[in-house]
Amino acid sequence: HPQVEVTVREFAAEPVTVVGAVQHPGVYSARLYPDLAAMLAGAGGVEPRGGEQITLERDGRVAASESVDAWENQGGSAALPLHAGDRIRVTPAATVYVGGDVAHPGAFPLPAHGLTLLQALILAGGIGPHSQSGRTRIACHLPGGEVQTLWIDAGRVLRAQAPDPPLQPFDLVYVPSSTARRALADTLHPLVVTSSAIVSGVVIWH
């Protein structure tokens, strides 16, 4: 049963809220950071993973919006003056996630021309030797917030025996691992090494 007391030491003069794909989201003062470029710099800049769109909301409406690429090239809104109550939102760049039995699991940027399952698996370094590629699944986020799971035979896709499905923003590709295959490989490995040593010893003896 914690008892928490919050005390406000001081209020930010002309507060502006910065949220989204920035290093340090929070509330900053428009007196210290009077324009959009200064405010984003004060928030640590755009995350290394990148952002897609910068939107300035004022009085509940969109006052300005442009892509991160245009802003980084010093677009028209870079020196846009800010006012108390403004809200800056940096929309994260679209990515896809690849996990499971792949060489390099992680998040990968989704380029403007799109990305297919095969391309995503190549970016992840390919599937592992003990994977259950026939039970690969893609978790797709629907507009209503629901998640739809698609079952794909990634092995057939890699062998060009099945269509290569396109991926949507923030899809999750998961390649499961076969525990039985991995256990068998771990059991056979020392036997193979021992057998090789014995054979080598016999050859050397003779």
Side-chain angles (χ1 to χ4, degrees):
H1 303 284
Q3 296 181 357
V4 180
E5 179 180 353
V6 179
T7 302
V8 180
R9 289 195 345 189
E10 61 179 339
F11 293 91
E14 300 184 11
V16 174
T17 303
V18 184
V19 297
V22 293
Q23 296 276 21
H24 307 292
V27 179
Y28 297 87
S29 171
R31 290 186 180 178
L32 295 176
Y33 309 106
D35 56 44
L36 181 59
M39 183 64 69
L40 288 176
V46 179
E47 285 187 346
R49 292 179 299 175
E52 183 174 355
Q53 195 77 11
I54 299 176
T55 303
L56 171 63
E57 301 173 1
R58 179 173 296 164
D59 299 327
R61 296 178 296 179
V62 176
S65 181
E66 69 177 344
S67 67
V68 172
D69 291 338
W71 174 79
E72 290 178 345
N73 292 328
Q74 295 299 310
S77 65
L80 185 68
L82 301 176
H83 305 288
D86 285 353
R87 183 181 180 89
I88 300 171
R89 181 186 302 276
V90 181
T91 305
T95 56
V96 295
Y97 305 90
V98 183
D101 196 359
V102 293
H104 307 292
F108 301 93
L110 183 65
H113 58 269
L115 197 69
T116 66
L117 174 62
L118 176 59
Q119 292 169 333
L121 291 176
I122 292 175
L123 290 175
I127 59 177
H130 309 299
S131 65
Q132 286 185 309
S133 58
R135 296 183 57 81
T136 300
R137 58 181 180 266
I138 303 175
C140 308
H141 295 271
L142 302 179
E146 299 180 0
V147 177
Q148 179 184 16
T149 301
L150 304 177
W151 296 90
I152 303 293
D153 189 338
R156 297 192 62 195
V157 174
L158 291 172
R159 295 189 298 268
Q161 297 174 347
D164 186 14
L167 300 178
Q168 302 300 320
F170 307 107
D171 278 359
L172 169 62
V173 178
Y174 184 80
V175 183
S177 175
S178 174
T179 306
R181 291 181 182 177
R182 187 177 297 275
L184 179 62
D186 293 340
T187 303
L188 291 177
H189 179 70
L191 296 177
V192 172
V193 173
T194 304
S195 300
S196 300
I198 293 175
V199 172
S200 299
V202 171
V203 172
I204 293 173
W205 177 260
H206 285 288

